[in-house]
Amino acid sequence: MIVLIFCAMVPAVTSAADTAEPVRGEVWREGLESDLRVEGLIVAYRPGTAMATGDVSAASAALPSPGGGVRLSVVEPLPLERMLVGVSPARLSKAELVRVMELIAADEGVRLVEPNLVFPPPGELGSTGTARPAAGARAPQLDDPNDPYYRDQWGIQRVAHTYVPQAWDLGVSGLNQTIAVVDTGYIRHPDIANQLWDRGRNFIRDARSSRVPAGPSDDAEDLGTWADRGYCGVDQYGDPVPSQKVPSSWHGSHVAGIAAAQANNALGIAGIAYRARILPVRVIGACGADGADIENGIVWAAGGPVPGGRVNAHPADVINLSLGGESACSPTMQAALDYAAGQGITVVIAAGNDNADSVDYSPANCAGPKIVVGALRADGTRWVDGLHQGSNWGAQVDVVAPGADIPSTVGLSDVGPLRDPWNFGVRNQTGTSMAAPHVAAVAALVRERYPQSTPLQVKERITVGAEAMQQPGNCWDMGVSICGSGLVRAWNSVQP
């Protein structure tokens, strides 16, 4: 009887194995709920597969044939076991994109499929005044840098309570620290030229957006984000992108100057971490920044291997991300941030500029020990300019920093590229993009003083050292702070 029962069970076990469901990858649909443009798909593969090692031939062979006139092709390998897959025609309905993603995910080697979301390029929110030449006359004050526009930098003066000069008095200036600015790239501004490690890297694949026909290269020079109406095509609703003519923002250099412009050189402004080095990483062009390019930029800035790119000889200590859009945090964005954190790098992220809850904005809403920064005006209140423009707020925000009418290094032309020294100057710009590099620079000061600090410890020093915002005010809602721990205070963060 025992033998008969055992033999009877064997076919049942075999049958269950034969009918088991094949392994399927995950389809990340949340990205399609946003209004962001989609440029292809990002496919993550299971470890141990040929595709995960960057084998383009294997990935191409594994792609399905969706039918219905839709064609798929591998564009390029990405870091962290991913591939960028092109979809033709480029503008499919959301339902059709989901169908295609599900077909790709049916391959047992696929771990995850997501849309490659495109964040819009940063605009010049609240830019004020005429751009000024980099040089200018002023009477130096005792113990002040002799930079001509230092007096205009309300965000680091003693009256702003960020206590940057007091931190300098403790002997910190960003020495031996590298701040990667993952943004529009650099311009040859004389106030930041000596701060650059090298020319960085350009990761923008789209030649129209980048203005570099050959594609990615070992030069992150900002060639301008100006664009005529419709220069970048149309969105999913058929509307022109951009909707109107826009000038170049020189955004990456404005951000870099706030963080680490050369100080006491009788030129321009004084950077907060003025002895730190800048690593320019170009991911934002005239038509925005897509997830694949941003992943490349973050991983490369962190010292990681990126297919087709040279090894980064100067991995960042701090990464500044003054970019983003309304979307859930994509798996690829999260993976890139996790990689940076795993390398011991502090990542600082702008909260966003829509006067909305930052929980709905990526990468501010991603997980991990990053520092999310909101923006303040000179009167100490959260920057707000109308119902739908202002610093984002909420539980995702860790600290706030000066972000309204912040002077920094820019080009004086609305277009580019810039070659003439007279094309460089100083302009005020506004937004959480300007607040974030204040905090990235303070993070560099903290890391200089405490070089063994983990990203979580750097964050703790900055949040614990912040000054709580006053009640009542627009940083409070029902008695709960929506501006995190408050205004960053450099001196508090670096002192023993």
Side-chain angles (χ1 to χ4, degrees):
M1 289 294 294
I2 293 174
V3 172
L4 289 174
I5 292 172
F6 175 77
C7 292
M9 289 175 63
V10 171
V13 173
T14 303
S15 176
D18 290 342
T19 59
E21 287 291 323
V23 176
R24 295 182 62 89
E26 177 187 350
V27 174
W28 190 69
R29 297 175 175 82
E30 291 179 67
L32 298 177
E33 297 174 3
S34 72
D35 286 331
L36 298 180
R37 289 189 297 123
V38 175
E39 294 291 347
L41 303 171
I42 296 176
V43 182
Y45 296 96
R46 300 187 188 280
T49 62
M51 296 84 81
T53 65
D55 188 328
V56 172
S57 297
S60 297
L63 287 177
S65 298
V70 179
R71 296 182 300 278
L72 303 177
S73 60
V74 174
V75 177
E76 65 178 35
L78 298 173
L80 309 182
E81 302 176 329
R82 286 165 160 78
M83 292 273 184
L84 178 61
V85 172
V87 180
S88 179
R91 299 290 178 261
L92 297 180
S93 68
K94 291 183 180 181
E96 186 69 355
L97 270 175
V98 169
R99 182 184 76 85
V100 172
M101 288 194 292
E102 288 178 340
L103 288 173
I104 296 173
D107 187 286
E108 63 181 10
V110 171
R111 182 168 56 82
L112 182 143
V113 186
E114 64 180 279
N116 184 33
L117 301 178
V118 181
F119 295 126
E124 293 192 1
L125 297 174
S127 294
T128 60
T130 304
R132 297 155 287 179
R138 67 172 289 252
Q141 295 179 336
L142 184 64
D143 296 328
D144 279 352
N146 64 8
D147 306 88
Y149 299 114
Y150 177 70
R151 280 183 174 178
D152 297 337
Q153 293 180 259
W154 69 265
I156 63 175
Q157 302 288 347
R158 288 167 170 81
V159 295
H161 303 298
T162 52
Y163 288 89
V164 168
Q166 286 90 334
W168 291 341
D169 290 343
L170 294 176
V172 291
S173 55
L175 184 64
N176 298 323
Q177 299 300 302
T178 297
I179 302 174
V181 179
V182 180
D183 212 292
T184 66
Y186 72 91
I187 59 176
R188 304 182 187 195
H189 196 293
D191 215 14
I192 58 176
N194 293 332
Q195 307 298 89
L196 302 176
W197 264 123
D198 53 31
R199 293 182 297 171
R201 182 157 176 84
N202 168 35
F203 283 103
I204 306 173
R205 289 169 292 98
D206 182 353
R208 175 173 289 264
S209 184
S210 176
R211 297 192 161 94
V212 179
S217 65
D218 289 333
D219 191 348
E221 184 176 9
D222 186 347
L223 301 181
T225 55
W226 88 94
D228 292 327
R229 173 182 165 87
Y231 175 80
C232 301
V234 297
D235 61 18
Q236 62 267 43
Y237 305 108
D239 297 325
V241 180
S243 60
Q244 60 186 4
K245 185 175 182 177
V246 295
S248 292
S249 64
W250 314 117
H251 188 269
S253 291
H254 197 278
V255 168
I258 295 168
Q262 190 172 351
N264 216 38
N265 62 341
L267 184 71
I269 64 168
I272 295 171
Y274 60 86
R275 296 181 74 186
R277 303 297 288 271
I278 299 165
L279 180 70
V281 184
R282 189 172 184 230
V283 300
I284 307 174
C287 301
D290 69 41
D293 293 347
I294 295 171
E295 179 197 13
N296 277 334
I298 293 174
V299 172
W300 186 81
V306 174
R310 66 177 172 88
V311 175
N312 175 13
H314 308 288
D317 299 288
V318 180
I319 294 176
N320 187 94
L321 294 176
S322 288
L323 53 77
E326 188 174 6
S327 169
C329 177
S330 73
T332 289
M333 183 72 79
Q334 186 64 66
L337 295 176
D338 289 345
Y339 180 85
Q343 304 305 304
I345 297 167
T346 296
V347 180
V348 179
I349 302 173
N353 300 322
D354 291 328
N355 192 22
D357 193 332
S358 55
V359 73
D360 296 322
Y361 288 76
S362 176
N365 56 8
C366 295
K370 83 290 183 193
I371 305 174
V372 178
V373 187
L376 293 185
R377 297 184 292 209
D379 63 4
T381 61
R382 182 171 60 88
W383 164 63
V384 178
D385 185 12
L387 184 61
H388 300 297
Q389 184 167 288
S391 173
N392 285 358
W393 41 266
Q396 297 292 327
V397 174
D398 296 300
V399 290
V400 287
D405 296 329
I406 304 299
S408 189
T409 46
V410 294
L412 300 185
S413 170
D414 286 344
V415 297
L418 304 178
R419 294 290 187 268
D420 191 324
W422 291 102
N423 279 333
F424 304 110
V426 171
R427 177 185 286 132
N428 291 5
Q429 291 188 12
T430 293
T432 58
S433 285
M434 284 65 252
H438 281 78
V439 177
V442 174
L445 301 183
V446 171
R447 289 184 62 103
E448 177 190 3
R449 194 167 180 87
Y450 305 99
Q452 302 304 315
S453 296
T454 66
L456 192 59
Q457 289 169 334
V458 173
K459 177 176 181 176
E460 183 177 14
R461 278 198 161 270
I462 289 174
T463 54
V464 171
E467 176 187 8
M469 305 303 295
Q470 297 296 313
Q471 293 194 61
N474 63 359
C475 269
W476 294 88
D477 182 43
M478 303 294 289
V480 176
S481 173
I482 58 175
C483 291
S485 298
L487 173 60
V488 65
R489 297 182 72 165
W491 182 63
N492 283 0
S493 298
V494 299
Q495 66 178 329

